[in-house]
Amino acid sequence: MDTKLNFFVVLTLVSIQFLSTFPKAAVSNVHIVYMGEKENEDPTVTKMFHYKMLSDLLGSKEAAKSSMLYSYKHGFSGFAARLTDSQAKEIEAFPGVVQVIPNQVHKFHTTRSWDFMGLNDHSTTNLLTKSNMGEGIIIGVIDSGVWPESESFNDRGMNPIPPHWKGICQEGQLFNSSNCNKKLIGARWFVKGILDQSQTPINISNGEDILSARDSSGHGTHTASIAAGNFVVNANYEGLAAGLARGGAPRAHLAVYKVCWSFGHGGCTDVDLLKAFDKAIQDGVDILSVSIGISIPLFSYADQRNSIAIGSFHATAKGITVACSAGNDGPTAMTVENTAPWIITVAATTIDRAFPTAITLGNNLTLWGQSVDTRMHNHGFTGITFSDRIALNNSDDSALGCKRGSLNATLAAGQIILCFSQSSTQNIFSAAISVAEAGGVGLIFAQYRSDGLESCHYIPCIKVDYEVGTQILSYIRKTRSPIAKLGIPKTIIGKWVSPKVADFSGRGPSSISPTVLKPDIAAPGVDIIAAYIPFGAEKSSGFALLSGTSMSCPHIAGITALIKSVHKNWSPAAIRSALVTTASQKGTDGSNIAEEGSTRKVADPFDMGGGVVNPNRAIDPGLIYDIETNDYVKFLCGTGFSSKSVSGLTQTKANCTKNRLNELNLNLPSITIPYLKRKVTVSRKVTNVGPVESMYKAVVEAPQGVNMKVEPQILRFNKTTQIVPFKVTFFTTGKVYGDYRFGRLIWRDPKHTVTIPISMRAIFV
């Protein structure tokens, strides 16, 4: 990201309310009168101006002095005062006042995604505390490096470096061994591949990248802090999403492997990726988080260009759990990436936090969009126009979406511009540049419903959907001199139904191995606040809001660290099974989780795998679907690879003529049948990890048009029997070709519900 980030200090006030002793008197509550950027650098002058404004409202200096709590005069201009509702409305119309915000009682909370999933650090019963916050576990992050000075990587409260760590803190430009500590225990960088690819040296003098593990893009810093960042109080992004920041496993250790570079055309090459996997295995990491992917069409698992599949296979064979992002090319089908069956592939969802922003029109109608731009816009009511009305060239429709160079600067100057995106390739950031270059002072960007907010930096901008955009356009067309006022974003929690699968999240089925359900699991990945590299002369507070499956992947890595801390001997497949079989398919309101794609339908396994991760249930799944390394070898043979190809991938002497596994029978915590011809029987086996003496009954939710039969229907476990096989037979009842249909197979005992998703498509020959 090459844009400049500014971060403001936002003071949270303790709500104070004074009730009048006279029953008819108006009640005064604390309000924040926000005035945006300071007009005077002298804080004394700014404070006097605040008192003068309040005196004019209340009628005397004494009343103003009694009413005011704080004068904000350093980071921004404004004050907090006790006002009645009518006084608040009156002062909002004063010149220079951007917005009057009623005070609210705030409490410290996580940067939301972890509390949203039930991992509150104050609880004594959830996975976070049961696992000692991931103590003793090492998470490796293969990404763009790290900003070691970030407060998220402080080592307060950290235990000594685990004895199984064998790695180093590799020195380089602006990075030495002292940058590592008990939290950030290792750092390496791999650049040979990208240097060879670009055929040009890095120009370190102009800062296009840094020849060390130091992060120059912010992506790696963000993902690492999501997975295992330490506690940071008062974290925020421009005053939004304020709270206590921490990673999923705040007591786990971090090792970073820089393979992604910004110079030239940028990217992460296969040779560098493979070297990172190789070193991570050698160093002794327990978990790897890889928010990197390759685009469609995918390479086979035995192709050296699929370095993530190859590297992760070797890591998995050594007992290292690998979590990867599902890709950001959704909501189109077959866009999921990182589809190897030994990888945990992670989709992205929303959480219950939003940043609503008011748009007040001249007819007193207030409409709502979303924004993360808290910068000043102290112009109050300002002229607003539709971009198509101020097109530089009326012969095309480029002005409709505010493409660069499409607006008439004379007509745009001083105006708020309403633009309509016409495709997914147009974005609010590029439109803001266009409006700013034309002299506009604000942007309202109407687009199809999509997830993730982006700061415009240059001018305040608000994203709205087409419905709100059309309402604003109707007002503009009906009014001779339309005006509008843009509000300041607010942070609101718990008011929206959530989670929803993000529109950008890569969707299944897998284009390269359709019998393997991908993604496996979903986790928060929209507007996630986490550590970031500092930008600008003012040096930001070091946090940013980003969206993508890059953000959901380290959530799973962090949760995996917590599970691994409790169940040290569980295999990567066992951990994946625990996550998938205990996942949730319900939202906060009890309804089925939806997806924010073009149809906004109920989410299915191709959108979210088993569902949205439920960490506190995953610690005690009851049963697990385990897989050994040799099972993957047999699976590869069964999918048609030659002995030579499989041997090259697995570095074993594979004999595919003798050792083949029907690809439908790989012991995944899911069943996917892309071609159901009348009747198919699938084998699975489960391992009991609950009470020794246990009994589970099968509950079948068959896909539409399919009959299912489970044998046996009851699974019994005791001291001598802890692994039990079963078979599921599917019979199609339809007589026409159909698309995929979905169902579930559930094993239940009095305490556990062990659920696997089923996906199948019937064909007739």
Side-chain angles (χ1 to χ4, degrees):
M1 186 176 291
D2 58 358
T3 51
K4 180 181 176 184
L5 298 176
N6 293 319
F7 296 79
F8 291 110
V9 177
V10 173
L11 301 180
T12 302
L13 303 178
V14 178
S15 181
I16 304 174
Q17 184 179 48
F18 287 88
L19 300 178
S20 170
T21 55
F22 300 97
K24 293 186 179 181
V27 176
S28 294
N29 296 301
V30 174
H31 290 72
I32 301 171
V33 181
Y34 178 73
M35 304 179 69
E37 198 73 27
K38 296 179 297 179
E39 293 188 3
N40 195 298
E41 290 302 317
D42 187 341
T44 303
V45 174
T46 303
K47 184 176 182 179
M48 290 175 61
F49 176 70
H50 294 162
Y51 272 115
K52 174 67 168 58
M53 179 181 289
L54 196 54
S55 297
D56 291 344
L57 174 73
L58 300 179
S60 70
K61 293 180 180 179
E62 291 74 16
K65 186 175 181 180
S66 175
S67 174
M68 186 178 292
L69 278 75
Y70 296 108
S71 173
Y72 306 122
K73 52 190 181 292
H74 300 290
F76 60 91
S77 176
F79 55 91
R82 301 183 191 94
L83 303 172
T84 64
D85 289 343
S86 61
Q87 290 169 341
K89 290 180 181 178
E90 186 177 350
I91 201 169
E92 193 169 27
F94 278 36
V97 174
V98 177
Q99 191 176 26
V100 177
I101 309 166
N103 188 41
Q104 301 179 61
V105 177
H106 293 270
K107 62 180 182 178
F108 278 138
H109 52 76
T110 177
T111 49
R112 193 54 197 165
S113 60
W114 298 111
D115 273 354
F116 177 67
M117 293 186 292
L119 293 182
N120 188 304
D121 61 296
H122 298 301
S123 171
T124 58
T125 59
N126 67 29
L127 175 57
L128 189 66
T129 50
K130 288 179 180 177
S131 65
N132 292 321
M133 305 186 190
E135 186 177 288
I137 302 299
I138 302 171
I139 301 177
V141 179
I142 299 178
D143 211 295
S144 65
V146 68
W147 195 266
E149 291 83 6
S150 169
E151 190 62 17
S152 291
F153 307 124
N154 76 77
D155 62 358
R156 290 189 297 273
M158 294 295 300
N159 280 349
I161 297 173
H164 67 279
W165 173 247
K166 309 300 181 186
I168 64 170
C169 190
Q170 182 182 358
E171 297 192 344
Q173 184 193 8
L174 303 178
F175 201 106
N176 56 50
S177 59
S178 65
N179 287 122
C180 292
N181 55 23
K182 289 185 291 184
K183 163 60 72 174
L184 180 62
I185 62 174
R188 295 183 186 270
W189 48 287
F190 308 94
V191 72
K192 292 179 181 179
I194 193 70
L195 283 174
D196 180 74
Q197 190 77 13
S198 65
Q199 294 295 312
T200 56
I202 301 176
N203 187 344
I204 60 176
S205 62
N206 69 1
E208 67 178 2
D209 215 320
I210 305 168
L211 273 173
S212 71
R214 184 172 291 276
D215 188 5
S216 66
S217 73
H219 191 272
T221 299
H222 202 268
T223 56
S225 66
I226 291 172
N230 211 338
F231 294 93
V232 181
V233 298
N234 299 326
N236 69 88
Y237 173 70
E238 296 192 2
L240 298 172
L244 177 67
R246 62 175 172 85
R251 290 293 178 256
H253 307 274
L254 276 167
V256 299
Y257 300 85
K258 181 176 178 179
V259 299
C260 299
W261 301 84
S262 302
F263 69 93
H265 294 294
C268 333
T269 67
D270 287 322
V271 294
D272 293 334
L273 274 162
L274 285 171
K275 188 64 174 176
F277 274 106
D278 184 51
K279 283 296 185 183
I281 294 169
Q282 180 188 41
D283 289 345
V285 303
D286 300 296
I287 294 147
L288 278 169
S289 179
V290 187
S291 293
I292 304 167
I294 57 176
S295 59
I296 306 295
L298 303 178
F299 297 111
S300 79
Y301 304 140
D303 192 311
Q304 294 296 314
R305 291 169 293 183
N306 196 342
S307 55
I308 295 176
I310 293 171
S312 61
F313 179 88
H314 297 301
T316 302
K318 297 292 185 181
I320 300 168
T321 302
V322 182
C324 292
S325 47
N328 298 330
D329 291 329
T332 307
M334 297 188 187
T335 52
V336 65
E337 301 171 19
N338 294 318
T339 59
W342 45 85
I343 290 173
I344 301 177
T345 308
V346 189
T349 70
T350 63
I351 58 174
D352 63 343
R353 180 176 62 201
F355 306 101
T357 309
I359 303 167
T360 305
L361 305 179
N363 60 1
N364 290 324
L365 176 65
T366 297
L367 300 170
W368 293 89
Q370 287 208 62
S371 175
V372 291
D373 282 307
T374 60
R375 286 166 180 72
M376 71 160 189
H377 20 112
N378 59 4
H379 44 264
F381 278 98
T382 302
I384 183 173
T385 189
F386 178 37
S387 60
D388 200 42
R389 288 187 170 186
I390 57 171
L392 198 60
N393 184 352
N394 291 321
S395 64
D396 61 46
D397 60 359
S398 60
L400 189 64
C402 290
K403 291 183 179 178
R404 294 188 71 174
S406 66
L407 303 178
N408 186 314
T410 301
L411 299 177
Q415 297 276 318
I416 297 170
I417 311 299
L418 171 66
C419 309
F420 275 76
S421 170
Q422 294 178 288
S423 72
S424 59
T425 59
Q426 291 177 274
N427 62 71
I428 194 170
F429 183 74
S430 60
I433 295 175
S434 175
V435 169
E437 289 175 342
V441 296
L443 167 66
I444 300 173
F445 193 71
Q447 65 178 103
Y448 71 97
R449 291 186 65 92
S450 64
D451 297 300
L453 297 170
E454 188 173 4
S455 175
C456 293
H457 307 305
Y458 305 103
I459 55 172
C461 61
I462 301 175
K463 183 172 77 172
V464 299
D465 60 23
Y466 285 135
E467 180 182 355
V468 172
T470 302
Q471 288 181 273
I472 298 171
L473 179 57
S474 178
Y475 162 73
I476 292 172
R477 285 172 169 167
K478 293 177 181 178
T479 307
R480 178 172 296 179
S481 300
I483 56 174
K485 182 168 69 171
L486 305 183
I488 303 297
K490 302 177 180 180
T491 304
I492 303 296
I493 292 171
K495 300 296 185 181
W496 279 264
V497 174
S498 53
K500 294 181 180 179
V501 178
D503 67 297
F504 56 77
S505 187
R507 303 306 208 265
S510 167
S511 60
I512 196 166
S513 53
T515 60
V516 177
L517 177 64
K518 292 291 175 177
D520 294 288
I521 195 75
V526 176
D527 296 329
I528 303 300
I529 186 172
Y532 206 71
I533 61 176
F535 266 92
E538 73 285 350
K539 298 302 180 187
S540 65
S541 67
F543 287 86
L545 281 165
L546 297 181
S547 299
T549 55
S550 284
M551 285 66 250
S552 57
C553 171
H555 275 87
I556 293 299
I559 293 167
T560 297
L562 302 182
I563 296 173
K564 188 75 173 177
S565 184
V566 176
H567 300 293
K568 299 187 185 301
N569 296 323
W570 277 14
S571 69
I575 292 173
R576 188 250 306 273
S577 174
L579 294 170
V580 172
T581 61
T582 60
S584 175
Q585 295 84 38
K586 299 291 184 180
T588 52
D589 65 342
S591 63
N592 291 326
I593 292 171
E595 58 96 31
E596 283 282 28
S598 55
T599 62
R600 304 185 69 192
K601 62 177 177 60
V602 172
D604 60 48
F606 291 151
D607 301 316
M608 62 177 182
V612 177
V613 65
N614 187 330
N616 291 318
R617 286 189 60 207
I619 192 66
D620 181 21
L623 303 174
I624 57 173
Y625 293 75
D626 209 352
I627 302 175
E628 296 179 354
T629 302
N630 194 47
D631 296 327
Y632 293 124
V633 174
K634 293 178 180 178
F635 164 81
L636 291 169
C637 287
T639 57
F641 286 110
S642 67
S643 299
K644 182 179 179 181
S645 295
V646 175
S647 296
L649 166 61
T650 64
Q651 292 184 355
T652 62
K653 291 184 178 180
N655 188 340
C656 288
T657 59
K658 293 184 178 180
N659 297 306
R660 290 178 179 270
L661 176 71
N662 183 329
E663 56 185 317
L664 294 176
N665 292 334
L666 183 63
N667 202 43
L668 295 166
S670 60
I671 297 174
T672 302
I673 304 175
Y675 307 109
L676 175 58
K677 300 177 182 179
R678 303 295 182 184
K679 175 183 175 181
V680 171
T681 298
V682 175
S683 298
R684 291 289 188 271
K685 60 182 178 181
V686 286
T687 302
N688 180 29
V689 293
V692 174
E693 300 284 341
S694 299
M695 183 182 74
Y696 286 81
K697 293 183 179 180
V699 179
V700 169
E701 295 179 7
Q704 183 180 3
V706 175
N707 288 334
M708 287 173 56
K709 181 181 179 182
V710 181
E711 295 180 303
Q713 293 187 332
I714 296 177
L715 305 179
R716 291 183 171 87
F717 300 91
N718 52 46
K719 290 181 180 179
T720 59
T721 305
Q722 289 297 295
I723 300 176
V724 176
F726 65 90
K727 293 184 178 182
V728 186
T729 302
F730 299 90
F731 308 85
T732 178
T733 59
K735 295 185 178 181
V736 295
Y737 285 92
D739 201 355
Y740 277 96
R741 297 288 184 264
F742 307 98
R744 298 191 298 172
L745 170 61
I746 304 167
W747 292 106
R748 283 193 178 132
D749 76 350
K751 183 180 179 182
H752 303 96
T753 300
V754 187
T755 305
I756 64 170
I758 295 171
S759 314
M760 61 181 49
R761 178 174 56 186
I763 65 169
F764 299 91
V765 292

